[in-house]
């Protein structure tokens, strides 16, 4: 009988991943493999995806420990472009600092920083054309900033004030601007992935030359939409760049819960037969070079590229999160890939195109710029001061034309406002 | 035309009129669809406008949303309504809300076609009527045609509509009207006025019901296959019922419903879908709220039972002539 023979077998055990370090632990990242900068080869953009699969397991790195750009992926950007990139990254950080504090001051309900991940969005934006369509997650505010989007406009959204282009309908940071080629952010994870592929397919089917790019975190790769997007991207050779920002953490879950113990996220590309690159996400030049390479593949009908940006989420998941409850406070300090802004700054200094004085002056100028923008935005009101949109806008935009049942509910709400004796709306 | 041909014709007309209309889904390309609804379209309009997709409903809807954001007007097909659930997140969280959450900057002008309803021995996963799931979602429109003529006119209107439309096609009446008498020979659409379909462009506005039989004694609200079943039962029973084919469930033609119930004083709601929290509950609540002082009897709901759709016991499950007939007797007993 089966039960008798099974008595000789060792019992099965269930593996539940556990991060290496928990609060209070000493951190040692010695086992995080960091290949030397310049070591990864750069295939021709016309090469078949299956001819460079090793690039999904290494790290494309350009900036070495001394901040020198080395190897075949060096995009050889002019000092002027490098300085603009550095500035956009620093501005992103300054903006985050200010908005985080605004949330703590009760000026808005919610905020999410991208500290430590500025290169992932900013350098990519520099490598894309401005009318390439971005389908971001909630942690790529650097795309807007790199595209010189108006900070006041962004803040208006965070404050849900009367200048908010989204009419107070969306949670703070869920930006959207068609003019900025920045697709409406959704709270539902990874849904933007197949949408980006569809946009890219549409561009291809129309004989357009624009491409799409999308971003999700490593945690979101576990969603079914990630799989369907990769399948569609592969099947139709969609001109799309699929970015996975592996910042090691999905709220409190370490990347092992998305499968990182077994393989890399870039290696997912291999199974779909699309190009896969694993990139040092704190190396702005590597991010730029990989994006530029993937964009060239897309624009020459070579199809999609999946880029894993290996980085670290330096701060809490959001203003509602306290990372000290689940990870060691030492982690970010010990992270072997450093800080993307510091690394690009050192590179420019090494080129004698920048110095600490100019950096300090720029930081001061950017802080002032953000402060001025904040003052300007706050003239339109802050969330803490109540409602800023005319009440009846609540019902607008559900459909192109308002059906009778929404008109009825709109009338009911306005009657409630009148009955309350204290007008809710400040028009 | 039968309903398949009418639906095919609607897509043909719209693809010829608008180069941004594209058709996609499982088996819709070369093969022309498992129900032949897209037959010939790929040959006529090319592979970049009519194409087969991988078997992933969330992918099909998600990709269509992205295409819509680009500026195309996609008409994705979900092979059976029973298989629309993997695409639900994209429909509910994305398509339905895109206009609202972007304050009108991005829209999802897609029309999701899907064969739906029972009466074909489809068992649990080829018979469902999930319309109530979609009418519950703000931002979606839901349409169910009952004749080939309506199917074409409504589908053209849906494709032209700038909001996402769920277009459910009752597959039991693809080839002919069905009166609920499953044991009698099937009829086809020839000879039925709803089978006379112009070959060119015409549209039936969304949100407008159709009074298929005028009457004074009772108002029956139905859609899809049940319109034909109700009509047959009413004629057999000799009741002067007014039968309203809703055609669009959301937005609903409330004026036509109110006017009818105020006139007749009685209201019966018939659908194939399961009863609890089904669309009939919404209809019943609306009629009760708006026509309370005209009602002479409690509102009756005749629906599928609250079970998964069975295979062998299909005709016991299906709200057919006997169940509808009994409900008519009940609602008319004090008349």
């Amino acid at each position: 009988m089966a039960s008798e023979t099974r008595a000789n077998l060792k019992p099965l055990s269930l593996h539940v991943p556990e991060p290496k370090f928990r609060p209070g632990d000493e951190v040692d990242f010695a086992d995080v493999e960091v290949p030397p900068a310049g070591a990864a080869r750069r295939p021709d953009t016309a090469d078949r995806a299956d001819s460079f699969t090793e690039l999904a397991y290494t790290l494309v790195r350009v900036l070495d420990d001394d901040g020198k750009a080395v190897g075949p992926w060096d995009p050889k950007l002019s000092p002027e472009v490098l300085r603009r990139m550095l500035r956009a990254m620093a501005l992103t950080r300054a903006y985050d600092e200010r908005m985080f504090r605004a949330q703590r001051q009760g000026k808005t309900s919610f905020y999410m920083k991208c500290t430590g991940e500025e290169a992932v969005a900013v350098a990519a934006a520099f490598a894309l054309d401005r009318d390439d369509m971005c389908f971001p997650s909630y942690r790529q505010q650097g795309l807007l900033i790199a595209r010189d989007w108006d900070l006041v406009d962004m803040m208006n959204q965070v404050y849900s004030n009367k200048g908010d282009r989204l009419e107070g309908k969306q949670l703070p940071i869920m930006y959207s601007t068609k003019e900025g080629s920045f697709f409406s952010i959704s709270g539902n994870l990874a849904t933007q992935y197949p949408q980006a592929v569809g946009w890219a397919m549409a561009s291809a089917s129309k004989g357009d030359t624009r491409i799409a790019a999308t971003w999700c975190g490593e945690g979101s790769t576990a969603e079914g939409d990630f799989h369907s997007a990769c399948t569609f991207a592969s099947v139709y050779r969609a001109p799309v760049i699929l970015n996975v920002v592996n910042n090691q953490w999905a709220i409190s879950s370490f990347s092992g819960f998305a499968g990182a113990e077994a393989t890399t996220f870039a290696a997912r590309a291999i199974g779909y037969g699309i190009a896969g690159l694993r990139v040092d996400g704190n190396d702005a030049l590597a991010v730029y070079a990989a994006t530029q390479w993937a964009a060239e593949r897309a624009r020459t009908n070579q199809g999609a590229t999946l880029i894993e940006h290996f980085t670290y989420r330096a701060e809490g998941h959001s203003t509602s999160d306290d990372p000290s409850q689940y990870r060691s406070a030492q982690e970010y300090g010990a992270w072997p890939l450093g800080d993307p802004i510091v690394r690009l700054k050192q590179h420019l200094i090494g080129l004698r195109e920048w110095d600490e004085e100019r950096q300090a002056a720029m930081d001061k100028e950017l802080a002032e710029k953000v402060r001025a923008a904040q003052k300007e935005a706050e003239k339109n009101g802050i969330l803490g001061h109540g409602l800023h949109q005319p009440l009846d806008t609540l019902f607008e935009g559900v459909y192109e034309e308002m059906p009778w049942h929404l008109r009825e509910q709109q009338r009911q709400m306005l009657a409630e406002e009148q009955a309350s004796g204290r007008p809710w709306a400040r028009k | 035309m039968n309903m398949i041909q009418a639906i095919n014709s609607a897509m043909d007309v719209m693809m010829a009129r608008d180069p941004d209309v594209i058709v996609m889904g499982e088996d819709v390309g070369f093969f022309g669809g498992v129900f032949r609804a897209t037959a010939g379209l790929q040959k006529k309009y090319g592979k970049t406008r009519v194409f087969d997709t991988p078997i992933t409903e969330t992918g099909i809807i998600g990709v269509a949303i992205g295409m819509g954001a680009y500026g195309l007007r996609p008409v994705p097909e979900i092979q059976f309504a029973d298989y629309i659930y993997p695409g639900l997140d994209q429909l509910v969280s994305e398509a339905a809300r895109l206009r609202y959450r972007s304050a009108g900057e991005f829209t999802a002008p897609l029309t999701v076609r899907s064969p739906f309803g029972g009466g074909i021995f489809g068992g649990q996963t080829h018979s469902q009527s999930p319309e109530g799931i979609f009418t519950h979602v703000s931002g979606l429109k839901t349409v169910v045609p009952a004749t080939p003529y309506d199917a074409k006119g409504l589908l053209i209107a849906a494709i032209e509509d700038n909001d996402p439309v769920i277009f459910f096609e009752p597959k039991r009446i693809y080839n002919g009207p069905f009166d609920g008498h499953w044991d009698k020979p099937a009829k086809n659409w020839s000879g039925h006025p709803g089978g006379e379909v112009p070959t060119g462009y015409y549209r039936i506005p969304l949100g407008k019901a159709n009074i298929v039989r005028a009457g004074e004694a009772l108002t029956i609200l139905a859609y899809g296959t049940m319109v034909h079943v109700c009509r047959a039962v009413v004629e057999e029973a000799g009741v002067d019922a007014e039968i309203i084919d809703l055609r669009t469930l959301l937005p609903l033609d409330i004026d036509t419903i109110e006017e009818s119930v105020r006139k007749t004083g009685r209201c019966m709601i018939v659908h194939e879908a399961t009863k609890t929290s089904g669309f009939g509950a919404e209809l019943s609540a609306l009629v009760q709220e708006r026509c309370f002082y005209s009602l002479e009897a409690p509102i009756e709901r005749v629906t599928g039972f609250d079970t998964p759709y069975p295979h062998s016991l299909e005709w016991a499950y299906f709200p057919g002539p006997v169940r509808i007939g009994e409900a008519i007797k009940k609602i008319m007993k004090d008349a």
Side-chain angles (χ1 to χ4, degrees), chain B residues 17 24 41 43 51-52 59 67 86 96 98 104 108 163 172 176 180 195 208-209 224 267-268 281 307 313 317 321 329:
Chain B
R17 283 171 72 94
M24 58 190 283
L41 295 179
K43 197 168 178 199
F51 55 87
D52 295 312
M67 291 178 151
L98 188 53
D163 292 312
R172 184 62 182 80
K208 288 272 173 283
C267 179
M268 196 170 104
T307 69
L313 296 176
Y317 174 92
K329 276 186 219 158

Side-chain angles (χ1 to χ4, degrees), chain B residues 240-255:
Chain B
D240 187 24
E242 180 147 296
I243 302 174
I244 299 177
D245 171 7
L246 299 177
R247 297 200 288 205
T248 305
L249 309 191
L250 193 81
L252 184 68
D253 185 352
I254 194 70
D255 294 340

Side-chain angles (χ1 to χ4, degrees), chain A residues 158-171:
Chain A
V158 171
Y159 286 141
S160 278
N161 62 20
K162 63 175 188 262
D164 178 9
R165 59 170 51 242
L166 305 183
E167 300 169 350
K169 285 169 169 154
Q170 266 280 45
L171 191 68

Side-chain angles (χ1 to χ4, degrees), chain B residues 9-295:
Chain B
S9 174
M11 286 186 275
D12 189 4
V13 165
M14 286 311 297
M15 293 192 80
R17 283 171 72 94
D18 183 349
D20 290 332
V21 173
I22 65 117
V23 167
M24 58 190 283
E26 296 157 18
D27 305 297
V28 306
F30 183 84
F31 180 56
V34 294
F35 290 103
R36 317 306 302 150
T38 55
L41 295 179
Q42 187 181 70
K43 197 168 178 199
K44 192 164 174 185
Y45 297 101
K47 286 200 295 183
T48 58
R49 290 189 63 197
V50 182
F51 55 87
D52 295 312
T53 64
I55 303 171
T56 160
E57 288 75 15
T58 182
I60 292 168
I61 308 281
V63 159
I65 292 169
M67 291 178 151
Y70 179 90
L72 300 189
R73 206 167 271 282
V75 187
E77 175 183 304
I78 300 297
Q79 203 160 76
F80 287 85
D82 314 61
Y83 303 134
I84 204 166
Y85 310 123
L88 213 54
D89 188 32
Q90 286 287 351
L91 283 170
V92 175
S93 310
E94 303 294 318
R97 291 153 198 265
L98 188 53
R99 177 190 295 279
Y100 193 75
R101 78 173 196 231
S102 69
E105 276 208 338
F106 295 99
T107 58
L110 47 146
T111 301
V112 181
R113 288 183 41 244
S114 192
F116 118 133
I120 56 147
F121 274 102
Q124 297 193 19
T125 57
H126 297 82
S127 309
Q128 293 169 36
S129 300
E131 69 275 19
I133 292 174
F134 298 94
T135 55
H136 190 58
V137 178
S138 321
L140 296 180
K141 294 180 177 175
T142 303
V143 176
V144 185
T147 65
Y149 178 82
D150 280 6
K152 179 171 174 181
L154 288 165
L155 182 53
I156 287 175
I159 294 171
E160 287 186 333
D161 198 282
N162 289 325
D163 292 312
V165 180
I166 312 296
F167 193 87
F168 282 134
E169 302 166 359
K171 56 190 171 298
R172 184 62 182 80
I173 54 172
Y174 265 161
N175 293 310
F178 177 58
D179 61 10
H181 291 290
W182 50 273
D183 46 352
K184 291 185 185 155
K187 294 190 200 85
N188 61 34
W189 282 107
S190 61
H192 190 286
E196 282 165 33
V197 181
T199 51
Y201 172 91
Y202 67 94
R203 50 181 286 155
I204 296 173
L206 304 186
K208 288 272 173 283
N210 181 30
I211 299 172
V212 297
R213 185 195 187 282
E216 302 291 329
L218 159 71
T219 299
I220 297 180
L221 306 179
Y223 46 92
T225 304
M226 300 319 296
V227 171
H228 303 282
V229 180
C230 289
R231 192 168 186 163
V233 176
V234 161
E235 272 153 25
E236 285 157 23
V239 187
D240 187 24
E242 180 147 296
I243 302 174
I244 299 177
D245 171 7
L246 299 177
R247 297 200 288 205
T248 305
L249 309 191
L250 193 81
L252 184 68
D253 185 352
I254 194 70
D255 294 340
T256 299
I257 295 171
E258 275 185 49
E259 202 181 316
S260 178
V261 177
R262 290 219 181 93
K263 177 178 70 176
T264 64
R266 286 178 166 79
C267 179
M268 196 170 104
I269 297 152
V270 186
H271 61 57
E272 286 178 68
T274 49
K275 187 168 195 174
T276 300
S277 302
F279 188 62
E282 179 64 31
L283 289 172
S284 173
L286 284 169
V287 169
Q288 192 274 144
E289 286 163 8
R290 306 170 92 88
C291 308
F292 182 79
Y293 295 106
S294 306
L295 287 174

Side-chain angles (χ1 to χ4, degrees), chain A residues 178 198-200 202-204 206-210, chain B residues 65-72:
Chain A
K178 197 169 192 172
W199 195 98
S203 181
K206 282 294 194 183
D208 197 344
T209 56
R210 291 178 293 166
Chain B
I65 292 169
M67 291 178 151
Y70 179 90
L72 300 189

